[in-house]
Amino acid sequence: ELKVEQNPLFLSMQEGKNYTIYCNYSTTSDRLYWYRQDPGKSLESLFVLLSNGAVKQEGRLMASLDTKARLSTLHITAAVHDLSATYFCAVDPNMEYGNKLVFGAGTILRVKS
Amino acid sequence: DVKVTQSSRYLVKRTGEKVFLECVQDMDHENMFWYRQDPGLGLRLIYFSYDVKMKEKGDIPEGYSVSREKKERFSLILESASTNQTSMYLCASSLGTASYNEQFFGPGTRLTVL
């Protein structure tokens, strides 16, 4: 069974600080997606990573994928309050799973001023 | 832009009622999914469909059924609503290719069963 583990599950950080969220998975895959969810809202796409070594950046967030290590990271630079949300990674384990994604449990990020 | 819409943002129903949640996508996606999300339990897949009239059970199908009569529309049916089905329901769709399966989510329906 494919497992996707995110850590930490909860992260409280001060504004201006840097931190990294980790997403480990247990099968070979070179496709991974990051989503953001605001309280009471749905998931919105953040990053699409489709190959080993892929790196995407948007504002203060940067995501990367290392398929050999089965690891993706979401790095937060100089956090601001607006980044407070829950972040999910989702692994795309190829056709054997019938186009389903396997989601991590989510990381709740709280940025304190 | 991909657009996934859900028929209601908030819904309140009584125990035993039959409940229909509708989801429509406008990007000609092959795959559609229904999830429920509860605090501390993450996203759980209820049912998904990879083609019209095709459906497959997800991780928690008990108490639910689905219908996909047209490619753009995927309905979730609670045959006899119970209080433990109070939850946030999320619909998603994806293109369904061998190399790209990003899912796009609707706004969600928060269902309360009294």
Side-chain angles (χ1 to χ4, degrees):
Chain A
E1 182 192 340
L2 169 58
K3 291 194 186 306
V4 179
E5 292 185 353
Q6 282 184 240
N7 69 83
L9 297 182
F10 182 76
L11 176 56
S12 179
M13 56 191 297
Q14 293 287 123
E15 275 193 329
K17 298 291 188 186
N18 304 333
Y19 208 83
T20 300
I21 298 169
Y22 297 89
C23 174
N24 291 273
Y25 55 96
S26 63
T27 192
T28 51
S29 173
D30 55 3
R31 299 193 296 275
L32 189 141
Y33 313 97
W34 283 95
Y35 293 87
R36 170 184 171 137
Q37 184 178 37
D38 292 307
K41 301 285 179 66
S42 188
L43 279 71
E44 63 175 284
S45 296
L46 266 184
F47 296 112
V48 175
L49 303 169
L50 298 178
S51 61
N52 184 40
V55 177
K56 295 280 182 75
Q57 181 157 10
E58 172 99 18
R60 299 170 189 275
L61 299 177
M62 184 173 72
S64 65
L65 179 61
D66 181 343
T67 60
K68 293 190 171 81
R70 299 180 184 177
L71 171 68
S72 181
T73 59
L74 181 65
H75 187 72
I76 304 150
T77 303
V80 293
H81 181 73
D82 284 353
L83 290 180
S84 296
T86 300
Y87 294 87
F88 292 90
C89 63
V91 176
D92 185 349
N94 306 318
M95 295 295 286
E96 66 190 80
Y97 275 71
N99 294 158
K100 291 186 287 185
L101 300 182
V102 181
F103 286 81
T107 296
I108 300 172
L109 172 65
R110 293 289 175 261
V111 181
K112 299 183 290 187
S113 21
Chain B
D1 273 356
V2 175
K3 197 150 188 187
V4 181
T5 57
Q6 294 182 230
S7 50
S8 306
R9 293 299 306 276
Y10 300 93
L11 209 51
V12 180
K13 295 292 182 181
R14 297 218 172 266
T15 301
E17 280 192 78
K18 192 168 185 174
V19 182
F20 293 86
L21 303 183
E22 306 282 341
C23 176
V24 177
Q25 49 93 6
D26 67 357
M27 284 302 291
D28 203 34
H29 281 177
E30 301 292 328
N31 301 326
M32 296 187 76
F33 306 82
W34 275 107
Y35 296 90
R36 67 177 280 177
Q37 187 178 28
D38 301 287
L41 295 178
L43 283 167
R44 293 184 291 168
L45 182 64
I46 304 171
Y47 267 98
F48 67 103
S49 168
Y50 51 89
D51 201 354
V52 175
K53 297 193 188 295
M54 305 301 287
K55 61 186 180 188
E56 288 209 18
K57 293 179 181 178
D59 302 317
I60 51 162
E62 296 77 22
Y64 303 94
S65 62
V66 290
S67 171
R68 192 164 180 205
E69 297 295 320
K70 293 185 178 180
K71 190 175 186 180
E72 67 271 17
R73 187 180 297 269
F74 192 34
S75 303
L76 180 69
I77 303 152
L78 287 65
E79 297 290 342
S80 177
S82 64
T83 54
N84 63 12
Q85 292 178 310
T86 291
S87 187
M88 170 74 114
Y89 289 88
L90 297 172
C91 174
S93 71
S94 69
L95 191 56
T97 70
S99 58
Y100 177 66
N101 286 304
E102 182 185 10
Q103 289 183 15
F104 297 87
F105 285 81
T109 296
R110 188 165 292 282
L111 173 66
T112 302
V113 183
L114 302 175

